[in-house]
Amino acid sequence: MFKGDLGDLLRKAQEMGESLKSKQAELAARRIPVSVGGGMVKMEFNGKGEALSIAIDKEAVNPNDLAMLQDLVLSAVNEGVREAQRLQQAEMAKLAGGLRIPGLTA
């Protein structure tokens, strides 16, 4: 009787591992656009939180005010990372099926 329960548990763990790999690949393929400063800096991230592209409007490039451009780029990066984290948490919560798994669910 215990042997069957253990077998079921191992099978479910393997299925969850496969689902996790699939979800990670899906997240890597997702695109998250970010725009700050009224569109002066635009970036795109994947669902893993990796920056994929950046576009800076020429009006944002002022040699006398580099601090503003630096702030805009940092804001875009931070927003993209936050959005990717939200997406990851939401997708992992779905994968966990309501289980409270530390580090995967909020």
Side-chain angles (χ1 to χ4, degrees):
M1 186 163 149
F2 177 73
K3 200 177 216 180
D5 292 341
L6 182 58
D8 285 344
L9 181 62
L10 291 173
R11 183 183 48 78
K12 288 179 184 178
Q14 183 178 8
E15 288 173 3
M16 186 172 228
E18 290 169 7
S19 295
L20 180 60
K21 285 181 186 177
S22 174
K23 187 59 68 178
Q24 288 172 334
E26 180 185 317
L27 285 169
R30 297 278 297 266
R31 298 296 177 257
I32 302 168
V34 174
S35 178
V36 298
M40 290 179 28
V41 175
K42 297 177 184 176
M43 292 187 73
E44 186 175 63
F45 292 79
N46 65 18
K48 291 171 51 178
E50 299 168 330
L52 301 174
S53 67
I54 184 169
I56 299 173
D57 188 293
K58 65 182 177 180
E59 291 182 26
V61 182
N62 178 350
N64 298 318
D65 192 6
L66 288 178
M68 179 190 73
L69 178 57
Q70 292 166 340
D71 287 345
L72 289 172
V73 171
L74 283 175
S75 293
V77 168
N78 288 333
E79 182 62 23
V81 169
R82 277 192 297 271
E83 287 299 317
Q85 288 172 341
R86 284 187 199 115
L87 178 62
Q88 290 168 8
Q89 287 177 348
E91 293 300 318
M92 291 302 128
K94 287 181 201 174
L95 184 64
L99 295 175
R100 304 293 291 167
I101 301 172
L104 290 182
T105 56

